Amino acid sequence: MNLKALILTGGKSSRMGTDKFLIEINGQPQYKILHKMLSTFAEQTFISCSKAQASQIQSPIPILLDKHENEGPMSGLVSAIDKDSTYSWLVVACDYFNLQTHHITQLIAGNDQSAKATLYQLQDSEFLEVTLAIYNPSIFQEIHHAYNQGERSLQKFLKRQNVKIITTTDISGLKNFNTPEDLGCLFDG
């Protein structure tokens, strides 16, 4: 499989009160940790960010500016598709602070090229992990169409698509950290 990776950092982080991608774990900002992890799996790994955030990303890490700022993860994905629509895109949000290599390995191993996307879903949850997923080229035209029609929810969009779901009970590994309290649990627990 031809694979490129995209780390989503373009959100406002309003509940966290600071940019999540810059939070340091063991002396390294989260975006560098994820970049190093994903680079072992992908031909290229990009940081998706806003113009204001771009100046905070250290070279030589490649940047893709969000197509439109503050319009959610779909905007970052559209920018990635515009960059290269021939590769599958492994998309990971920067707020998965407990993400481990085995989560990525399992996602890649489970990717079904006949499905438009492969993503996790926690057992007993109605929500898809849309920001920890592989998007295959067969869905790119539909994403563009939906985006151009004003749709911004990947969650709603993907529920109408032929996707492969990897069901898991690994709540800690797939937890999004959105508040200082969430982060406190990471350091305390």
Side-chain angles (χ1 to χ4, degrees):
M1 165 180 37
N2 293 328
L3 186 68
K4 292 190 178 183
L6 185 69
I7 301 166
L8 300 170
T9 67
K12 294 180 191 177
S13 300
S14 55
R15 289 179 284 170
M16 185 66 76
T18 188
D19 278 322
K20 291 184 256 186
F21 75 99
L22 294 174
I23 293 173
E24 291 194 2
I25 308 294
N26 297 321
Q28 286 289 313
Q30 176 68 351
Y31 79 91
K32 283 188 175 184
I33 294 167
L34 289 174
H35 186 268
K36 182 178 179 182
M37 179 190 302
L38 300 182
S39 292
T40 64
F41 297 100
E43 187 173 309
Q44 284 184 290
T45 301
F46 295 85
I47 304 290
S48 170
C49 62
S50 68
K51 278 186 182 179
Q53 293 167 325
S55 64
Q56 298 175 58
I57 308 291
Q58 295 177 359
S59 293
I61 296 175
I63 294 170
L64 280 177
L65 293 178
D66 289 344
K67 187 164 185 75
H68 297 101
E69 293 184 16
N70 302 317
E71 290 198 358
M74 190 180 266
S75 178
L77 181 54
V78 167
S79 297
I81 294 166
D82 288 347
K83 174 74 175 168
D84 193 330
S85 62
T86 63
Y87 278 68
S88 293
W89 282 92
L90 167 61
V91 175
V92 178
C94 67
D95 57 2
Y96 287 103
F97 286 93
N98 277 338
L99 188 67
Q100 300 296 316
T101 303
H102 70 88
H103 297 112
I104 303 302
T105 302
Q106 183 178 9
L107 189 62
I108 291 170
N111 186 42
D112 181 349
Q113 291 282 298
S114 68
K116 295 182 178 189
T118 300
L119 57 160
Y120 282 106
Q121 183 174 27
L122 289 171
Q123 188 172 340
D124 301 324
S125 173
E126 64 185 75
F127 296 104
L128 303 172
E129 296 295 328
V130 300
T131 57
L132 180 55
I134 296 174
Y135 293 87
N136 293 313
S138 60
I139 199 171
F140 294 167
Q141 187 173 0
E142 292 170 71
I143 288 173
H144 255 292
H145 178 74
Y147 189 83
N148 290 336
Q149 295 298 312
E151 185 157 1
R152 297 299 183 261
S153 172
L154 275 173
Q155 191 71 229
K156 290 177 185 173
F157 173 78
L158 288 174
K159 286 187 176 182
R160 300 188 310 265
Q161 303 299 319
N162 171 30
V163 299
K164 180 174 179 189
I165 296 171
I166 299 172
T167 305
T168 184
T169 58
D170 186 0
I171 294 171
S172 69
L174 302 186
K175 178 177 176 32
N176 297 97
F177 288 74
N178 293 307
T179 66
E181 292 77 24
D182 290 342
L183 212 53
C185 293
L186 176 68
F187 295 116
D188 296 339

Coordinates of all heavy atoms in Angstrom, one line a residue, residues 6 21 26-27 37 49 54 61 64 66 71 94 102 106 117 132 139 143 162-163 169 183 185 189:
L6 N -0.7 12.1 7.9 CA -1.0 13.5 8.2 C -1.4 13.6 9.6 O -2.2 12.9 10.1 CB -2.3 13.9 7.3 CG -2.8 15.3 7.4 CD1 -1.7 16.3 6.8 CD2 -4.1 15.5 6.8
F21 N -0.6 20.3 20.1 CA 0.5 19.7 19.4 C 1.8 20.2 20.0 O 2.9 19.5 19.7 CB 0.4 20.1 17.9 CG 0.7 21.5 17.5 CD1 2.0 21.8 17.0 CD2 -0.2 22.5 17.6 CE1 2.3 23.1 16.6 CE2 0.1 23.8 17.2 CZ 1.4 24.1 16.7
N26 N 7.9 14.0 28.0 CA 9.3 13.6 28.1 C 10.2 14.5 27.3 O 11.2 14.1 26.6 CB 9.5 12.1 27.7 CG 8.8 11.2 28.6 OD1 8.7 11.4 29.8 ND2 8.2 10.1 28.0
G27 N 9.9 15.8 27.3 CA 10.8 16.8 26.7 C 10.6 17.0 25.2 O 11.4 17.8 24.6
M37 N 6.9 8.6 15.1 CA 6.1 7.3 15.0 C 5.6 7.0 13.6 O 5.8 6.0 13.1 CB 5.0 7.4 16.1 CG 4.2 6.1 16.1 SD 2.6 6.2 17.1 CE 3.2 6.7 18.6
C49 N -1.8 22.2 9.6 CA -1.9 23.2 10.6 C -2.4 24.5 10.0 O -2.5 24.6 8.8 CB -0.6 23.5 11.3 SG 0.7 24.0 10.2
A54 N 2.0 27.3 11.8 CA 3.1 26.8 10.9 C 4.5 27.3 11.4 O 5.5 26.6 11.3 CB 2.9 27.3 9.5
I61 N 10.4 19.2 9.1 CA 9.1 18.6 9.1 C 8.2 19.3 8.1 O 7.9 20.5 8.2 CB 8.4 18.5 10.5 CG1 9.3 17.6 11.4 CG2 7.0 18.0 10.4 CD1 8.8 17.6 12.9
L64 N 1.5 21.1 5.8 CA 0.3 21.3 4.8 C -0.6 22.3 5.5 O -1.1 21.9 6.6 CB -0.4 20.0 4.5 CG 0.2 19.1 3.5 CD1 -0.7 17.8 3.3 CD2 0.3 19.8 2.1
D66 N -4.0 24.1 6.4 CA -5.4 23.7 6.2 C -6.0 24.5 5.1 O -5.8 25.7 5.0 CB -6.2 24.0 7.5 CG -5.8 23.0 8.6 OD1 -5.2 22.0 8.3 OD2 -6.1 23.3 9.8
E71 N -12.2 24.8 10.4 CA -13.3 24.0 9.8 C -13.2 22.6 10.1 O -13.8 21.8 9.4 CB -13.4 24.4 8.3 CG -13.8 25.8 8.1 CD -14.4 26.0 6.7 OE1 -14.4 25.1 5.9 OE2 -14.8 27.1 6.4
C94 N -3.5 15.2 16.8 CA -2.4 15.4 17.7 C -2.8 15.1 19.2 O -1.9 15.1 20.0 CB -1.8 16.8 17.6 SG -3.0 18.1 18.1
H102 N 1.6 0.0 18.1 CA 0.8 -1.2 17.8 C -0.6 -0.7 17.3 O -1.3 -1.4 16.5 CB 0.7 -2.2 18.9 CG -0.1 -1.7 20.1 ND1 -1.5 -1.8 20.2 CD2 0.3 -1.1 21.3 CE1 -1.8 -1.3 21.4 NE2 -0.8 -0.9 22.0
Q106 N -1.9 -2.1 13.7 CA -3.2 -2.8 13.6 C -4.0 -2.1 12.6 O -4.7 -2.8 11.8 CB -3.9 -2.9 15.0 CG -5.2 -3.6 14.9 CD -5.9 -3.7 16.3 OE1 -5.5 -3.0 17.2 NE2 -6.9 -4.5 16.4
A117 N -12.4 3.7 3.6 CA -11.6 4.1 4.8 C -11.5 3.0 5.8 O -12.4 2.1 5.8 CB -12.1 5.4 5.4
L132 N -8.3 9.0 13.5 CA -7.3 7.9 13.6 C -7.7 6.9 12.6 O -8.4 5.9 12.9 CB -7.2 7.3 15.1 CG -6.2 6.2 15.3 CD1 -4.8 6.6 14.9 CD2 -6.3 5.8 16.8
I139 N -12.2 7.2 -1.9 CA -13.2 8.1 -1.2 C -12.9 9.6 -1.5 O -13.7 10.5 -1.2 CB -13.2 7.9 0.3 CG1 -14.4 8.4 1.0 CG2 -11.9 8.4 1.0 CD1 -14.6 8.0 2.4
I143 N -15.2 13.0 -0.8 CA -14.8 13.9 0.3 C -14.8 15.3 -0.3 O -15.3 16.3 0.3 CB -13.5 13.6 1.0 CG1 -13.6 12.3 1.8 CG2 -12.9 14.7 1.8 CD1 -12.3 11.8 2.4
N162 N -18.9 3.2 2.7 CA -18.4 1.8 2.9 C -17.1 1.9 3.5 O -16.1 2.1 2.8 CB -18.4 1.1 1.5 CG -17.7 -0.2 1.6 OD1 -17.7 -0.9 2.6 ND2 -17.0 -0.6 0.5
V163 N -17.0 1.7 4.8 CA -15.8 1.8 5.6 C -15.5 0.5 6.3 O -16.5 -0.2 6.6 CB -15.7 3.0 6.5 CG1 -15.9 4.3 5.8 CG2 -16.8 2.9 7.6
T169 N -11.5 -2.5 22.4 CA -11.9 -2.1 23.8 C -10.8 -1.3 24.4 O -10.8 -0.9 25.6 CB -12.1 -3.4 24.6 OG1 -10.9 -4.2 24.6 CG2 -13.3 -4.2 24.1
L183 N -5.2 15.7 30.6 CA -3.8 15.6 30.6 C -3.2 15.2 31.9 O -2.2 14.5 32.0 CB -3.2 17.0 30.1 CG -1.9 16.9 29.3 CD1 -2.0 16.0 28.1 CD2 -1.6 18.3 28.8
C185 N -4.5 13.3 34.0 CA -4.6 11.8 34.2 C -3.5 11.1 33.5 O -3.0 10.1 33.9 CB -5.9 11.3 33.6 SG -7.4 11.9 34.5
G189 N -1.5 9.0 36.0 CA -1.8 7.6 35.9 C -0.8 6.8 35.2 O -0.6 5.7 35.2

